[in-house]
Amino acid sequence: QVQLVESGGGLVQPGGSLRLSCAASGSAFSSYAMGWYRQAPGKQRELVARISSGGSTNYADSVKGRFTISRDNAKNTAYLQMNSLKPEDTAVYYCKATRSAYYYWGQGTQVTVSS
């Protein structure tokens, strides 16, 4: 069992930056792939970025070059650094831990990009 708690969301102006954190409790964090997803009002949840247990990363085309996913296994935490934010990045951001057939979601954190 893994419990995930996101933090770091908020209101930011276009062009600004935020860093989201996803703190995990439970065992074997390093064995889980970690993903950040987002869901805007009226839209489906979509993958933003993912990092494997081995550190390989992949990103949605819409965030490549602006967002960076990372993990600190010693702290049981995954991060999403978001730079050059745009209004279309506004959404609730969720982290997800996946290992084999098992997956766990956090409760989400709101990111609003607006002037």
Side-chain angles (χ1 to χ4, degrees):
Q1 185 82 10
V2 175
Q3 294 174 336
L4 305 173
V5 178
E6 301 99 332
S7 61
L11 173 65
V12 63
Q13 292 187 341
S17 298
L18 283 174
R19 188 176 82 154
L20 305 183
S21 298
C22 175
S25 62
S27 60
F29 172 79
S30 62
S31 68
Y32 285 82
M34 298 299 298
W36 284 98
Y37 292 73
R38 67 187 180 188
Q39 187 167 19
K43 295 188 176 182
Q44 289 190 332
R45 192 172 297 189
E46 63 175 359
L47 175 66
V48 175
R50 183 180 181 274
I51 185 167
S52 71
S53 57
S56 299
T57 59
N58 60 281
Y59 297 90
D61 287 344
S62 59
V63 306
K64 281 181 181 177
R66 300 189 297 123
F67 290 11
T68 303
I69 189 171
S70 62
R71 64 191 300 159
D72 185 337
N73 290 334
K75 295 183 177 180
N76 280 13
T77 303
Y79 302 97
L80 185 68
Q81 178 66 43
M82 306 187 294
N83 299 328
S84 302
L85 283 160
K86 305 175 181 179
E88 51 264 42
D89 295 317
T90 295
V92 178
Y93 283 70
Y94 299 89
C95 67
K96 180 182 181 183
T98 305
R99 185 178 71 182
S100 299
Y102 300 93
Y103 60 91
Y104 306 92
W105 289 98
Q107 84 290 348
T109 185
Q110 176 71 46
V111 172
T112 302
V113 185
S114 175
S115 54

